[in-house]
Amino acid sequence: MPVMATHTGSLPRPSDLLSAIAERERGGPELDPAAVREAVAECVRRQVETGLDVVNDGELGKISYVTYVRSRLTGLEAVERGPRPNPALDGFPEYAERLALRAANRDFVIPVCRGAVGYPDTAAVEADIAVLRSAAGSHEAFLTAASPGVIAMFVDDEHYGDRTAYLDALAGAMKTEYDAIVGAGLLLQVDCPDLAAGRVAFPDGEDGLRAHRERMAENIAALNTALRDVPRERVRLHVCWGNYEGPHHRDVPLRDILDVLLTARVGTLSFEGANPRHGHEWTVFADADLPDDLVLMPGVIGSTTNYVEHPELVAQRIEHYARIVGPDRVLASTDCGMATLAVSEDGVDPRIAWAKLHSLAEGAALAKS
């Protein structure tokens, strides 16, 4: 049985759309719907042509996978604030400064919660759904949506004064988006980088790990509440350690969090399996108590490097998982998005990104069960 291939969300955006997104982020006009439709149609066409089995809209109209919610949720305001220190770069101050300088030059706003959170108007998500359904035709397609936990991680609360209340409000609001996506016949991918990348917010050692696992449990409980009316087999959960090139020396090992991840009410688990810090962790699944129907969606293509992986290497990576759960329960993917932040010049060159996706599809075809 051949292994199917997909990706995790963002894909390179056309230059004219990038300019329009940057202008919108500065307070300019909304994107031209016709331009978005045309760009998504071309993006889906290229995904199908490349050989991907499950496609999406490339997140082409979004500024990022999480802060797009500023235009959909009530209570969020854009405010001026300086860059946050990144504890994930502890021990490497020169590199941290280099990344901070890059970030300072971007037209990018991280909002703050200063009012009651709600989801009063579904027009934006309905537009995303309509555009993707039109472009995808009969192909299986997914839309990404931010999880309550990742929104809480990036969007500081200055209204509720209680994290549980804030998280509950976010879950109640985002349920509207989740229900709309699945109700339209699309797969839902909830993006949950907080579940792994959030570990660096706590001290090293057992106490810090315990605190992170408790935070994970809180975030997953909120997510499960928001997903209560969605069939679990229609949901993919994406977890990662941060989609950036860096040391990742403080990343939490997958073995330390997998049992908590498995409490999420989802049918597919997406995770990084290609980057050099986590490429060895396929062995963790051999010892794990996995649900019999859980689909593993390992990253077998790196999303922060301009190397184009050889299809035979991709096939070898896929085979590790196929031998554990069977090829029918493996969905080969990228580690993370290829263009996570629309206004960033970091990451993978657009042409190279598509070459990497072609190698992904070739490797999936080569993989032996």
Side-chain angles (χ1 to χ4, degrees):
M1 177 178 293
V3 172
M4 297 179 68
T6 187
H7 65 100
T8 60
S10 61
L11 294 172
R13 299 164 178 85
S15 57
D16 57 342
L17 200 55
L18 279 172
S19 298
I21 291 171
E23 182 64 25
R24 182 184 64 186
E25 192 72 358
R26 292 191 291 265
E30 284 298 316
L31 303 181
D32 177 5
V36 175
R37 282 196 303 274
E38 181 178 344
V40 170
E42 173 63 12
C43 180
V44 170
R45 185 194 67 78
R46 291 194 70 175
Q47 290 174 70
V48 173
E49 184 180 80
T50 297
L52 299 183
D53 299 289
V54 188
V55 302
N56 83 329
D57 63 351
E59 299 178 9
L60 298 191
K62 293 177 178 176
I63 180 67
S64 81
Y65 71 97
V66 58
T67 59
Y68 78 93
V69 299
R70 178 164 67 99
S71 64
R72 301 189 183 186
L73 300 182
T74 59
L76 306 189
E77 295 182 11
V79 297
E80 292 291 333
R81 64 180 183 183
R84 297 177 175 180
N86 186 352
L89 300 176
D90 285 354
F92 304 95
E94 296 85 2
Y95 191 69
E97 183 178 2
R98 187 194 312 175
L99 294 187
L101 287 173
R102 289 180 192 171
N105 295 322
R106 296 173 182 160
D107 294 310
F108 180 58
V109 175
I110 298 179
V112 168
C113 177
R114 290 184 169 172
V117 173
Y119 201 115
D121 186 351
T122 59
V125 67
E126 288 173 357
D128 289 348
I129 290 167
V131 168
L132 178 56
R133 284 179 58 87
S134 174
S138 61
H139 281 85
E140 185 82 275
F142 71 98
L143 273 179
T144 57
S147 67
V150 80
I151 299 172
M153 185 169 78
F154 282 105
V155 181
D156 291 340
D157 169 40
E158 295 181 2
H159 173 73
Y160 290 92
D162 177 83
R163 189 177 188 278
T164 299
Y166 181 38
L167 199 61
D168 288 348
L170 290 170
M174 292 305 294
K175 182 182 188 301
T176 301
E177 184 159 298
Y178 305 159
D179 289 348
I181 291 170
V182 176
L186 299 172
L187 293 169
L188 165 66
Q189 179 178 302
V190 284
D191 289 327
C192 307
D194 53 290
L195 300 179
R199 170 67 180 90
V200 298
F202 299 96
D204 292 337
E206 289 302 314
D207 288 346
L209 176 60
R210 188 178 304 108
H212 172 63
R213 285 170 56 88
E214 290 173 355
R215 176 64 55 84
M216 287 179 66
E218 293 171 358
N219 290 357
I220 289 176
L223 177 63
N224 285 345
T225 297
L227 293 173
R228 64 184 181 272
D229 295 322
V230 174
R232 59 184 293 272
E233 65 271 15
R234 302 299 295 172
V235 187
R236 311 176 354 172
L237 183 153
H238 173 65
V239 62
C240 75
W241 288 266
N243 192 24
Y244 66 93
E245 183 185 16
H248 286 275
H249 63 305
R250 294 193 61 204
D251 283 3
V252 63
L254 179 61
R255 187 179 298 277
D256 289 346
I257 60 172
L258 181 58
D259 61 324
V260 187
L261 291 175
L262 294 178
T263 64
R265 192 179 176 278
V266 301
T268 298
L269 180 62
S270 162
F271 53 92
E272 294 182 75
N275 82 53
R277 191 71 189 186
H278 298 280
H280 65 291
E281 291 186 315
W282 61 270
T283 58
V284 172
F285 291 97
D287 302 325
D289 184 16
L290 302 176
D292 292 339
D293 58 350
L294 181 70
V295 174
L296 299 184
M297 185 176 144
V300 292
I301 291 285
S303 53
T304 63
T305 170
N306 284 292
Y307 279 101
V308 177
E309 292 84 349
H310 196 286
E312 290 185 11
L313 172 61
V314 174
Q316 289 173 8
R317 288 172 171 170
I318 292 170
E319 288 164 4
H320 290 319
Y321 302 95
R323 283 193 288 268
I324 295 171
V325 299
D328 58 324
R329 289 173 54 196
V330 177
L331 181 59
S333 184
T334 56
D335 268 357
C336 291
M338 291 293 190
T340 302
L341 181 58
V343 295
S344 173
E345 296 180 357
D346 303 335
V348 181
D349 174 86
R351 287 184 184 272
I352 295 175
W354 285 104
K356 288 165 76 74
L357 292 173
H358 185 73
S359 189
L360 167 61
E362 284 190 316
L366 287 173
K368 304 178 182 66
S369 58

